[in-house]
Each structure stands twice: as structure tokens, then as C-alpha cells.
Amino acid sequence: MDHLTILSTIRVCAAQLQAERQTRLSDNDVVLPRGHMKCILFWTAGPADLALLWSSLASALSSFDDLTGTLQASPDGHYTLHAGGSGAPGVECIEAESTLRLADCKLECGSQPDGLCRDVWAAKDYAAGPLMRVQATRFACGGFSLGFALSHNVTDGWGFFRWLNHWAQTAAGREPHAVSCDRSLLYGRPDGPHGHHPEYKVNAPAPPPDPSKAPVAFAMPETQQMTFKLTRSMLDALKAEAQGHLGGDRTVSTNDVVTALFWRAVTRARGTPGETPIKLGFAVNGRRRFTPPVPDSYVGAATFYGLCDGVTASELVGMPLGEVAWQVRCAVNRMDDEHLRSALNWVSAQANKSLIAPGFNCFLAPDFSASSWVTFPMYDVDFGFGKPTYATVPNAKWDGFMVALPSRLGDGVEVLISLKTEHATELLKDSVLAQAI
């Protein structure tokens, strides 16, 4: 990060302090990844005065001051949000400058320089805070970026962009749209009805450390993040191919088809043995799947895990694209009000929430995980100096994960996939994928 200089770091709290309070996270908040959710937005020019931007942030935090607080672990593995009052740590705001120009970053190729978005915790120290960090970076050409990192247990992608647009509207002097965060909407009942939920698993407690043995350090393998651009015409052709195989009785979405395309391709690239059971884990926005719906204004976490399983690697790669997309669609359709409420009750009934993990494993394992941000209003964020020219997520050292983003021109999607480098090399050579896109 030789290109980057940190100029200042401040903490911003809500302009209108709320009463100090403790709020138990919902039974969905607590099972989401205990880590960071990140994104970076770029503009060709930024604000003249960052102090005004931070001032508008303070105003916007008055509507969602959860982001200024801390998380405290409970004996049952749940988390309680401590927010409000004068002791809240606030949002950490960093001002930086880069010697690079935006043209040097080659954003259109799916890359970005390191250092534009910082982790929130060095070692997941939720109690110390902050829960959110914002980095404003000015480039040598006059360009500007905002990098965001925040706790995924406090909000989800939809909720974050809802609130981010609320902040932007406040900064621009426009009437901001409403945000709400009544986490009790997603509280489960430990004695409530629930079925089987293979999208989750309960891990065994970690054994106590053996003082006679030195701890073994984990060696992270080399990974590579790739960006695939699918134009609208490509998407239409893929969906037509899938739908043509299925006929009129079974209908799939474009996202189903894109997920199916890359699930098969990644499984081929990994060379997964044919008899291996394989799963797809995916994220579903549950807001409109409840009856009555959870409001779109809800900025807590309402994203649920979905699961597509019951297939081996050889069966998966041998299926036509339409059949795989249909398997994904069936799994999505199961995510209705009954299923989601049952999931909340199941989580609530578990004795130790910290042992709950996704029921799929894509990291250095055969499964695949997918998330779609295509409907998120990433390109609507306007603080008064225009809408972003590019929006993305930082390069991630991960394996087996895909996120679909809206394209900057609105003419398709950008699919970001992170894999072990050896598998990434095979994916880029995959002839079936190349023919499709």
C-alpha cells in the first residue's frame, strides 16, 4: 500500500444521542457470518470538504445509531447490542490520499488497489468496536472513493444500502427515505414449531488447548478473485437456453441460471471427485417472504441461508443448465413464511448460538456459496457530488464464493468469484463456461 497515506482518523457519533440501551440481536442476526461486510464506491470527483460529509453522517446515524455501538457476547452464544449514550465508540472515519489515478486502478477490469477498505476488527474484538469503518480516499487525478466495512451481524446488504442512501440523501439536502430496525420482528420462539433445517449445522465445542502441544498455525493458500462480465444479451441467451430445456411448466429466474452456470463451472474447475455429495448455499432476502412482509425499510439483517443439496459432483456437471437452474429455483421457493419462521424458532431453541454454522462448506471444500447484490441500489448513492462511476467489493482471500453485482452501465451483471489459485486457473480455461459467456 505504498500508494496510500492516512491523513486523519476520527470517530463520528449520532448527532442526536439516544438513550443508552441494550438490544438482543435477532435470531437471524446472530447466525450470519461473524465478520465484515465490505464494499467500495468510486467517483470521478469527490466533496470539497470532508467535514461536511462527516457532519451529515452524524445526522444520518441519529436514525440508525446501532452502527455506533458494540456487541457483547452472552453465555448462550447470542449477542447483545450496546448503543446510545455518550459512551458509544461511534463510526471510525478515515481520510486518506493516494498517489494513484483512477485510470491506474483498471476498475473496468475488476481490480482495485489494496488499502481502500479496512477491516473493522483486528481479531473480531466486537466488544471494543467500532462496528463500522468508513475510509474516504482522494486520488491524484481528483477521483474519490468511499470504502465501507461493517459487522454483518448488525445489518445485511439490503439494509446497509438502504441506510447508505438515507445518509447520502441527508448529505445532499434531500428528504431521506425511512429506515427502521425493530429487531423483535425476527425473534424466534424456543418452544415454537420448527422443522429440519439442513442449511444450518451445530458444531461440537472446541476442545480445550493441550498445553503440551504447540498450536499449529493455519497456512492460507493462495487465492485469486476473478470478474466475469455478463451483458444483457448474454443473460437473455443463457435464460432462453435454460428455459427452452425446461418448457413452460417450470420457470427459472436469471439469477437461478447465473448461479447454476458458475456452480457447475467451479465444480469442474476444482476437479471434485464424481461421487462427492455437493451443496450450494445461497443468500435470500427474507423481507418480502414473510406474511406480513418485513418492511423494506428494515435495516437489520433479514438475509437467510438457502440450501440446494441432494446431488453428487458428477450428477451436477452432467445436468443440462436448465435442470441445475431448476434445482436452484426449487430451493429458493422453499424459503416462504413457514420456513423462515421455523428457522428462527430452530435457532432460538439451540443452547449455544455460537456453535451454529452454515450447513455447507465452500472454503477449501467441495461446496459453493452464492450471493446476489444485483437489486441493491449501489449506483443510486448520491451525496451531492453525483452517483458512483463504479461500485464493487474488495478483493477477498476466500474460496468457493460468488457475488453478482449490478454492472455500472446497467446493461448486465458482474460476477466476482474467489477460488484457490490453481482452481481459478482451471476456471479461466473452462471451455463450457467460455462458450456460454
Side-chain angles (χ1 to χ4, degrees):
M1 296 185 294
D2 293 341
H3 69 96
L4 200 68
T5 301
I6 303 299
L7 302 178
S8 66
T9 301
I10 63 171
R11 295 287 183 100
V12 175
C13 294
Q16 298 179 4
L17 290 181
Q18 308 296 319
E20 187 174 346
R21 67 189 184 282
Q22 299 180 15
T23 304
R24 186 173 171 87
L25 291 186
S26 81
D27 290 299
N28 189 59
D29 295 328
V30 76
V31 295
L32 289 184
R34 299 189 177 191
H36 317 122
M37 181 171 58
K38 299 180 181 180
C39 71
I40 309 174
L41 307 182
F42 294 87
W43 288 263
T44 54
D49 186 357
L50 273 181
L52 295 178
L53 187 66
W54 302 145
S55 176
S56 66
L57 170 60
S59 298
L61 286 169
S62 299
S63 300
F64 187 37
D65 70 343
D66 291 12
L67 294 172
T68 69
T70 61
L71 295 178
Q72 306 287 337
S74 303
D76 65 351
H78 218 300
Y79 276 103
T80 299
L81 176 73
H82 292 236
S86 58
V91 171
E92 185 170 287
C93 299
I94 301 166
E95 180 181 359
E97 63 180 14
S98 172
T99 56
L100 297 176
R101 301 170 301 164
L102 286 181
D104 301 325
C105 300
K106 299 181 179 179
L107 300 176
E108 69 280 0
C109 298
S111 64
Q112 78 267 171
D114 292 335
L116 302 182
C117 182
R118 306 302 179 91
D119 288 349
V120 178
W121 314 281
K124 294 188 178 179
D125 188 2
Y126 300 91
L131 295 179
M132 179 176 174
R133 177 175 279 171
V134 184
Q135 180 173 318
T137 304
R138 297 188 188 276
F139 293 86
C141 60
F144 182 72
S145 72
L146 287 174
F148 305 92
L150 64 157
S151 166
H152 209 335
N153 300 110
V154 176
T155 187
D156 59 10
W158 176 269
F160 171 65
F161 279 102
R162 175 83 181 193
W163 176 80
L164 184 58
N165 274 285
H166 175 97
W167 171 17
Q169 291 158 354
T170 301
R174 301 187 298 272
E175 182 67 25
H177 55 213
V179 295
S180 61
C181 195
D182 179 4
R183 297 185 189 272
S184 68
L185 292 172
L186 298 183
Y187 285 165
R189 294 186 294 120
D191 58 346
H194 63 77
H196 180 52
H197 284 277
E199 69 268 30
Y200 303 116
K201 65 181 178 182
V202 179
N203 290 326
D210 186 343
S212 66
K213 297 181 180 179
V216 178
F218 171 71
M220 178 69 186
E222 185 178 348
T223 62
Q224 179 180 342
Q225 181 167 296
M226 300 153 285
T227 299
F228 298 88
K229 297 187 178 183
L230 280 67
T231 64
R232 173 51 54 189
S233 60
M234 290 178 184
L235 294 172
D236 290 344
L238 286 167
K239 187 173 181 181
E241 175 191 343
Q243 202 62 62
H245 173 83
L246 295 172
D249 296 335
R250 297 182 292 171
T251 302
V252 294
S253 72
T254 300
N255 185 63
D256 298 334
V257 177
V258 172
T259 302
L261 177 73
F262 285 99
W263 185 20
R264 288 193 316 173
V266 167
T267 302
R268 288 193 299 268
R270 283 172 158 171
T272 306
E275 70 280 4
T276 306
I278 196 166
K279 303 174 185 177
L280 167 72
F282 55 90
V284 171
N285 184 350
R287 286 168 176 79
R288 298 185 184 182
R289 294 178 175 272
F290 282 97
T291 305
V294 172
D296 281 345
S297 61
Y298 181 73
V299 290
T303 294
F304 287 75
Y305 291 135
L307 185 69
C308 185
D309 60 358
V311 64
T312 65
S314 60
E315 290 170 339
L316 177 70
V317 299
M319 283 185 193
L321 178 63
E323 286 296 336
V324 181
W326 178 245
Q327 297 297 318
V328 176
R329 174 47 37 190
C330 290
V332 173
N333 287 344
R334 288 195 289 270
M335 308 289 285
D336 58 10
D337 178 82
E338 180 180 3
H339 179 94
L340 298 184
R341 294 193 186 279
S342 171
L344 293 173
N345 291 342
W346 183 92
V347 171
S348 182
Q350 304 309 305
N352 189 338
K353 312 297 188 292
S354 69
L355 299 178
I356 301 173
F360 49 92
N361 186 5
C362 61
F363 183 68
L364 308 182
D367 299 336
F368 189 57
S369 180
S371 181
S372 176
W373 289 23
V374 171
T375 61
F376 295 173
M378 303 176 71
Y379 286 97
D380 292 340
V381 180
D382 185 353
F383 290 92
F385 46 87
K387 295 182 179 181
T389 55
Y390 194 70
T392 189
V393 297
N395 293 323
K397 292 185 177 181
W398 195 248
D399 177 46
F401 178 69
M402 169 190 123
V403 59
L405 305 175
S407 71
R408 65 189 182 94
L409 299 177
D411 60 346
V413 300
E414 294 185 0
V415 176
L416 277 59
I417 294 181
S418 184
L419 289 174
K420 287 177 63 176
T421 299
E422 61 194 83
H423 297 152
T425 300
E426 293 302 315
L427 183 66
L428 293 172
K429 295 190 300 184
D430 188 274
S431 59
V432 178
L433 180 63
Q435 184 177 8
I437 61 176

